[in-house]
């Protein structure tokens, strides 16, 4: 590429630098990942709070899935924000964060499968909450059962959708970042190492 003539400000298109499309895609994916990771973390936090309802209203221990989601939430956010400092990202930490998002999505679908197909309906949190409030005389209409059930379904859909979208964009960014690192290492290997001036070659 020819050098820019001295005295120019770069406004001429002939000497303007062109950014590769991959780097533009990486910037877009990282911006989307940052937003989706926050949304996914918020939805997962609400899901954990939903799992905690039996502990407060019935003094029962939450579902075991709640503890796994809590670990994924805490460790995933630590790796994500520790791996995304200003400037260059720490790729190993970002890989761990992406894997935890994928694990969240997979574990969520396993939890839903067990919750709706294996466990009896009387164990569903929405029904248990409705029964407790009805027995206490706080509510009497069956409309509240529909409200609790629909709210639970919306929360489950939000958790699964946000985790899936976050992993999709996050994984695309990680793959592009790995390709960039690989190409950089190959370029560094291809460039011969020059000895500084005056250095004496060691005898074998």
């Amino acid at each position: 590429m020819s050098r820019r003539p001295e005295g120019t400000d770069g406004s001429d298109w002939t000497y303007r630098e062109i950014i590769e499309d991959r780097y533009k895609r990486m910037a877009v994916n990282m911006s989307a990942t940052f937003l989706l990771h926050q949304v996914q973390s918020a939805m997962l936090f609400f899901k954990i709070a939903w799992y905690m309802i039996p502990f407060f209203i019935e003094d029962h221990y939450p579902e075991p899935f709640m503890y796994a989601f809590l670990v994924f939430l805490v460790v995933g956010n630590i790796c994500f924000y520790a791996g995304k400092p200003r400037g260059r990202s720490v790729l190993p930490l970002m890989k761990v964060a992406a894997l935890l998002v994928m694990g969240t999505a997979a574990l969520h679908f396993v939890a839903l499968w067990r919750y709706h197909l294996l466990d009896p309906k009387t164990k569903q949190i929405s029904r248990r909450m409705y029964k407790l409030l009805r027995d206490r005389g706080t509510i009497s209409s069956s409309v509240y059962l529909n409200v609790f059930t629909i709210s639970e379904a919306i929360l489950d859909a939000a958790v699964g959708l946000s985790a899936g979208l976050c992993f999709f964009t996050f994984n695309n960014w990680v793959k592009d970042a790995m390709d960039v690192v690989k190409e950089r290492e190959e370029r560094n290997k291809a460039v011969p190492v020059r000895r500084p001036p005056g250095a004496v070659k060691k005898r074998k």
Side-chain angles (χ1 to χ4, degrees):
M1 182 176 178
S2 58
R3 296 180 58 187
R4 180 191 301 170
E6 296 182 2
T8 61
D9 58 356
S11 59
D12 50 328
W13 289 96
T14 305
Y15 299 97
R16 179 167 294 183
E17 293 184 357
I18 300 176
I19 300 176
E20 191 176 347
D21 291 338
R22 178 174 55 186
Y23 294 101
K24 296 179 182 178
R25 185 173 65 248
M26 287 179 63
V28 172
N29 284 335
M30 177 47 66
S31 299
T33 299
F34 184 75
L35 175 62
L36 290 172
H37 195 273
Q38 290 180 321
V39 174
Q40 179 260 342
S41 298
M43 294 299 103
L44 188 57
F45 176 80
F46 290 136
K47 183 63 179 178
I48 293 172
W50 184 266
Y51 272 126
M52 289 293 295
I53 289 177
F55 177 77
F56 292 106
I57 66 176
E58 298 176 347
D59 199 20
H60 290 173
Y61 288 106
E63 291 288 332
F65 289 103
M66 190 276 296
Y67 300 101
F69 283 135
L70 183 61
V71 172
F72 283 12
L73 177 64
V74 174
V75 178
N77 276 274
I78 290 175
C79 292
F80 182 79
Y81 289 103
K84 189 182 177 301
R86 292 183 178 180
R88 183 176 298 178
S89 299
V90 182
L91 190 55
L93 291 177
M94 300 300 275
K95 288 181 181 179
V96 174
L99 288 175
L100 289 174
V101 173
M102 181 187 68
T104 299
L107 187 63
H108 177 63
F109 286 109
V110 172
L112 289 181
W113 172 73
R114 176 185 172 183
Y115 188 73
H116 292 284
L117 297 180
L118 298 182
D119 293 340
K121 290 186 177 181
T122 54
K123 288 191 64 176
Q124 294 181 3
I125 298 176
S126 56
R127 294 178 180 272
R128 291 158 65 182
M129 186 165 55
Y130 168 75
K131 182 179 181 300
L132 179 67
L133 294 177
R134 186 190 61 185
D135 294 343
R136 290 180 177 178
T138 306
I139 58 177
S140 58
S141 176
S142 60
V143 175
Y144 289 97
L145 176 60
N146 296 330
V147 172
F148 294 153
T149 304
I150 293 174
S151 300
E152 186 176 24
I154 292 175
L155 178 59
D156 289 335
V159 172
L161 184 62
S162 61
L165 290 176
C166 181
F167 175 71
F168 178 76
T169 57
F170 206 166
N171 187 56
N172 288 337
W173 180 87
V174 169
K175 289 194 299 184
D176 287 337
M178 291 175 63
D179 292 339
V180 170
V181 172
K182 184 178 179 180
E183 291 179 2
R184 185 187 302 125
E185 292 177 351
E186 291 178 352
R187 286 197 304 267
N188 293 337
K189 291 180 181 179
V191 176
V193 179
R194 297 181 179 180
R195 293 192 301 272
V200 180
K201 185 178 180 181
K202 294 183 179 180
R203 297 180 180 179
K204 295 183 180 180

